[in-house]
Amino acid sequence: MNCEKCQDLVSDFLDGALSHEDQKTLNSHLEECLDCADVRNDLQSIVGFCRSNRGVYVAPPNEKALWLRIRNVIEAGASPGMLATAPERENVERRNFWTNWVGRSWELSFPQLVAAAAAIVLVVSLSTVVGLRRWQSGETVKNNNAAGAANLSVAAENVRSRISQQQQLIDYWNQRVEFNKARWNPQMRETFDRNLKVIDQAVNDSLDSLSQNPHDEVSEEMLNAALNEKLSLLKEFAEL
Amino acid sequence: MTATEIETQHETDYALAQKAAQGDMGAFEQLYQRHNRRVYSLCLRMTSNVSEAEDLAQEVFIQLFRKIGSFRGESAFTTWLHRLTVNQVLMHFRKRGVKMEQTTDDGETPIQIVKGTENPNAMPVVDRIALDKAIGQLPPGYRTVFTLHDIEGHEHEEIARMLGCSVGTSKSQLHKARMKLRGLLRQQKANE
Ligand SMILES: [Zn+2]
């Protein structure tokens, strides 16, 4: 047996797939050929390591955030095509995303966001007369309708939990952006920083107003909206 | 931990899958918690890329949710999910035009027979970090067969079926992958 033939058979040998005959010939070659014995030993330690580590798993970088991403998609009922992973996404499509952000002018000021959020709250509140009345009069929690008040505080609780989930997602995407940032060109960096600054301003404004009035649902909705924008900015830039 | 969460801990995968098929997100989350590491690890080993692996794991669980009603409990849930994961990664490779069959080592040079003392460096003791790094440098076709056979423990017959190639091809790809890994591990040591 020559070395070429021998090394061809080493893998089958390690997997126990050699005939008795072949095994014998192989063994006699391995006894006298150090090079081939070396190959056998090396492959054996690679295969042995893998076998003994079977069932050892790595956790994703952020299990919780990955779960939230999955749940968001499932709950949104998005089609599988929308979930194209970065390398699959067409370059053209990517360029469109990109120009979209470059050309985007962030004129949303705090009062405008308040108005937008107010509209959302108004729609939500219309379902309960109490909510509507409370909205119009700007009354605080002093309500004679106990059930209505309970509904409202549940709604506020939902907003708060949504905001905390968004914050986790933002942290996750932030990490991915940081990871890719090094290979951006200056124009990309400028666009990203400019957009982020405007959004962060809106986030801070709503946080300020929430710290003064913790039960202000308008500010909560506004914060929610600003965080949503931040999330979509990060997501899109994370792919670039 | 809520009462429901404690309760679901004792439930079988099959029972959770049935609940999830009815739209029970709590049950589905339990399945995610039980299996996400396994799914992610397989994606990571086949792609050697953290963000690709995360995206793929995400897609696997979304597909799982959509298909979970078709799980009848005939095979183990883990086997079923494993198969779903492998399919997802292979589909991802195909979309990217990754060739699964490496005809030669790097598309150019055929596999080299080790002769004489051309590489005086002994191969270092295999450890996780070094091996993962070397696996990352393998061409995708080699990496896939190596992951499925040596890491995951599949037989060549199963691999051939999954990849749509012959058993002989699966065997020779595996051998070439191991030889290439050996070279890479030695090289790593030489470069230290
Ligand atoms: Zn020899």
Side-chain angles (χ1 to χ4, degrees):
Chain A
M1 183 180 274
N2 62 20
C3 293
E4 189 176 344
K5 175 82 179 142
C6 170
Q7 286 173 27
D8 267 352
L9 293 178
V10 166
S11 273
D12 276 346
F13 169 71
L14 292 175
D15 297 334
L18 275 194
S19 70
H20 191 67
E21 195 68 15
D22 280 343
Q23 211 167 315
K24 256 171 78 180
T25 345
L26 185 83
N27 272 332
S28 58
H29 179 89
L30 287 174
E31 269 168 37
E32 59 198 30
C33 178
L34 283 176
D35 292 333
C36 287
D38 243 11
V39 171
R40 192 250 341 251
N41 294 343
D42 287 356
L43 295 199
Q44 197 157 37
S45 51
I46 293 172
V47 174
F49 178 86
C50 292
R51 279 190 193 141
S52 60
N53 278 273
R54 224 164 259 167
V56 177
Y57 303 119
V58 196
N62 190 336
E63 277 178 278
K64 182 78 185 160
L66 184 57
W67 165 248
L68 292 174
R69 279 166 66 185
I70 292 165
R71 203 188 60 187
N72 277 352
V73 176
I74 291 173
E75 288 181 346
S79 72
M82 289 171 67
L83 289 164
T85 47
E88 288 167 25
R89 195 176 274 168
E90 290 292 325
N91 276 338
V92 182
E93 199 185 339
R94 240 197 240 200
R95 220 172 296 129
N96 284 344
F97 267 123
W98 167 233
T99 25
N100 189 16
W101 280 104
V102 176
R104 193 149 175 173
S105 59
W106 275 96
E107 302 296 346
L108 282 185
S109 62
F110 181 66
Q112 276 175 302
L113 277 171
V114 171
I120 297 167
V121 172
L122 187 59
V123 172
V124 171
S125 308
L126 274 172
S127 52
T128 67
V129 182
V130 177
L132 182 61
R133 220 186 281 137
R134 181 174 164 237
W135 164 250
Q136 286 170 329
S137 61
E139 249 180 87
T140 41
V141 196
K142 296 251 156 37
N143 255 302
N144 49 9
N145 188 325
N151 279 344
L152 283 170
S153 85
V154 167
E157 197 43 59
N158 285 343
V159 172
R160 262 188 287 271
S161 103
R162 235 184 314 149
I163 286 169
S164 106
Q165 283 178 12
Q166 273 170 323
Q167 196 50 56
Q168 289 184 48
L169 284 169
I170 284 171
D171 292 344
Y172 167 82
W173 286 102
N174 233 335
Q175 280 172 13
R176 281 180 75 156
V177 165
E178 284 306 319
F179 188 74
N180 289 337
K181 229 176 177 175
R183 53 167 204 251
W184 292 356
N185 63 36
Q187 195 206 359
M188 283 164 77
R189 245 173 251 158
E190 192 274 325
T191 307
F192 177 78
D193 291 341
R194 180 163 42 82
N195 283 305
L196 188 65
K197 205 178 143 195
V198 179
I199 296 172
D200 275 341
Q201 187 58 50
V203 170
N204 289 337
D205 286 347
S206 50
L207 282 174
D208 275 354
S209 113
L210 271 176
S211 70
Q212 286 159 23
N213 185 2
H215 298 291
D216 178 8
E217 284 167 41
V218 177
S219 298
E220 274 177 356
E221 271 303 337
M222 208 207 69
L223 177 62
N224 192 24
L227 290 175
N228 265 338
E229 282 298 344
K230 185 165 178 174
L231 193 56
S232 65
L233 175 79
L234 289 169
K235 270 185 187 171
E236 287 176 20
F237 276 80
E239 310 278 296
L240 292 171
Chain B
M1 194 179 279
T2 67
T4 339
E5 275 170 335
I6 292 164
E7 204 175 281
T8 51
Q9 278 192 335
H10 303 290
E11 287 189 74
T12 62
D13 286 338
Y14 181 53
L16 289 174
Q18 283 184 313
K19 285 188 178 178
Q22 304 299 312
D24 181 340
M25 282 308 270
F28 191 65
E29 186 172 1
Q30 284 291 314
L31 285 173
Y32 169 82
Q33 276 164 7
R34 282 184 196 179
H35 301 290
N36 79 72
R37 290 169 185 226
R38 204 185 146 99
V39 167
Y40 172 75
S41 296
L42 180 55
C43 295
L44 181 64
R45 275 161 192 155
M46 284 174 83
T47 61
S48 286
N49 179 307
V50 172
S51 62
E52 252 177 276
E54 276 188 288
D55 288 344
L56 281 165
Q58 172 181 339
E59 189 60 36
V60 166
F61 278 97
I62 290 160
Q63 291 303 325
L64 173 67
F65 187 78
R66 290 186 186 146
K67 292 179 179 164
I68 204 153
S70 66
F71 176 64
R72 299 266 167 255
E74 286 138 4
S75 57
F77 183 77
T78 46
T79 313
W80 193 69
L81 180 57
H82 186 272
R83 200 51 204 274
L84 194 71
T85 308
V86 172
N87 284 344
Q88 202 64 47
V89 179
L90 292 178
M91 202 166 71
H92 169 74
F93 282 157
R94 279 183 207 113
K95 278 187 197 160
R96 285 176 48 202
V98 171
K99 269 210 327 248
M100 290 317 291
E101 197 173 323
Q102 246 72 36
T103 41
T104 52
D105 198 19
D106 278 322
E108 294 277 318
T109 45
I111 190 160
Q112 287 191 347
I113 299 303
V114 183
K115 262 202 183 292
T117 49
E118 57 173 27
N119 188 350
N121 295 290
M123 196 182 74
V125 177
V126 182
D127 66 78
R128 178 93 277 157
I129 295 167
L131 186 66
D132 281 345
K133 192 176 163 201
I135 291 174
Q137 288 169 276
L138 286 179
Y142 287 176
R143 193 165 58 222
T144 300
V145 176
F146 181 80
T147 303
L148 292 176
H149 190 281
D150 284 357
I151 297 181
E152 296 288 329
H154 286 285
E155 300 296 332
H156 284 296
E157 286 72 18
E158 294 174 82
I159 297 170
R161 237 177 295 133
M162 287 191 251
L163 299 183
C165 67
S166 69
V167 170
T169 303
S170 173
K171 281 188 176 184
S172 78
Q173 297 270 298
L174 176 67
H175 178 61
K176 287 173 187 166
R178 288 172 175 172
M179 290 298 275
K180 179 93 180 145
L181 277 178
R182 174 187 193 249
L184 289 165
L185 287 167
R186 286 181 163 232
Q187 214 173 24
Q188 274 185 30
K189 199 196 175 197
N191 293 342
E192 264 170 21

